[in-house]
Amino acid sequence: MELVMNSEEMKAAQDYVNNVYETVKKRNPNEDEFLQAVKEIFQSLVPVFAKSPKYMEHNILERIVEPERLITFRIPWVDDQGKVQVNRGFRVQFSSAIGPYKGGLRFHPTVNASIIKFLGFEQIFKNALTGQAIGGGKGGSDFNPRGKSEGEVMRFTQSFMTELCKYIGPDTDVPAGDIGVGAREIGYMFGQYKRLTGRFDAGVLTGKGVGYGGSLVRTEATGYGTVYFVEEMLRDQGLTFSGSTVVISGSGNVSIYAIDKAQEYGAKVLACSDSDGYIYDENGICLDTVKRLKEVERARISDYVKEHPHAQYFEGSTGIWTIPCDIALPCATQNEINEQSAKTLVANGVKAVGEGANMPSTLEAIDVFLENRVLFAPGKAANAGGVAVSALEMAQNSSRVSWSFEKVDRKLKHIMKDIYRNSINAAEEYGYPGNLVVGSNVAGFLRVADAMIMQGVV
Ligand code: GLU
């Protein structure tokens, strides 16, 4: 995204950003995803440095982009054949400026330092946007849960926690789920943490089962929150989900509850996907089928057409963006919308894009949306509902209470509205009206940067 250069202050700010970015590139060679996330955030902060040079004087950028700590570790475990397997584990403790490190764990074969650092870096700003006292962290492993038995998943997950438990705690670092880590894995991790420490530290993990300290609405929170955020953005322009056509990629936790809420709001959801391909159902997706296939049977989305023969299945997940729709919600994974897919969406008349996943649009795709005046809700604002309810789970755990579904849902809705308002106001104030990429990055950054300045050289 190119920002307009119109003053000496803007030139000085741009030079500062460019210089720090060059250092980051040298320090983190070959970490493409991390550099992509850094580039997007840095570029949107230029107007902040132009307006308030104090952030340059304190060299906040060079500090904030360096993780406070990056832990990598060996995870040995024994498979069902009795063979020893080894995976690599990560936890990046990126920023504790406004609260304990907070962020999910991802189990997926693509996980490496670059992926974990991009997720951890984004998490700092996302968490700050929620208005709650949570710092930024992320972790995971290159373990591939696909095709693994229950026993293998449990043994692996326990081994993962055997090492991770040394670095986490309710006031230190509080992991949760992400791709490949849901209620099952959180349960195994909580059990192992409890055995290793001898403590029932309810607040050490979020996304727990509701029967042992989990919060109602945590499961639904990311998908619901994305739809709440996008509805707010649409409403500002006199639009709504009701009566519109929607394409939602993925069929995991985020996607399922985004479909649920979009349907409740009166939209027709035409398609969803998994990493092998996508289904198109002109009557609107049957969510009960998707939920059973994915949450219970852990099957492939292609099985959907066996039960709904009028629907169609297509190999390859990115083809989903060729389906004409009013609203697109990428809820699968990073970089799932490239420049070409973005152009196709625009040519087919898309009015709004809301990111339920983390960084699903490439930098070029974002440019296409902004240049064509598509309403664009970036992930760190639109998908913040998940971590926001995690923070509500921590609050309930600390005070040993459980709130009703309605109460948590009401709080979630308020938080999403506040994130939208704060982001749109920041965009306006810093000279990019309507640009939520700038707005959300700036609003999140200011909260963290101000805390860092108050805490001295940390
Ligand atoms: N993995 C989710 C995210 O990307 C949730 C993290 C959490 O609840 O801590 O924000």
Side-chain angles (χ1 to χ4, degrees), residues 102-105 119 123 126-127 138 174-179 206 218 222 358 383-384 386-388 390:
K102 181 82 197 87
L105 298 167
L119 290 164
Q123 200 83 41
K126 180 193 321 197
N127 294 3
K138 202 85 190 190
V174 183
D178 196 82
I179 294 172
T206 60
R218 178 60 191 87
T222 314
N358 290 313
N383 76 32
V387 77
S390 275

Side-chain angles (χ1 to χ4, degrees), residues 3 25 77 427:
L3 297 182
K25 243 167 92 173
W77 57 282

Side-chain angles (χ1 to χ4, degrees), residues 12 36 43 46 51 76 115 223 246 256-257 268 383 423 425 439:
Q36 180 183 337
Q43 193 55 34
V46 172
K51 200 169 171 178
I115 297 280
V246 186
I256 283 175
Y257 292 97
K268 188 196 254 191
N383 76 32
S423 301
N425 290 345

Side-chain angles (χ1 to χ4, degrees), residues 304-318:
Y304 181 93
V305 295
K306 290 185 193 155
E307 293 171 48
H308 301 275
H310 63 275
Q312 292 166 279
Y313 173 73
F314 300 90
E315 291 280 336
S317 52
T318 52

Side-chain angles (χ1 to χ4, degrees), residues 344-364:
T344 307
L345 279 164
V346 169
N348 286 335
V350 76
K351 295 189 191 81
V353 175
E355 297 187 325
N358 290 313
M359 206 168 77
S361 312
T362 63
L363 293 172
E364 297 75 23

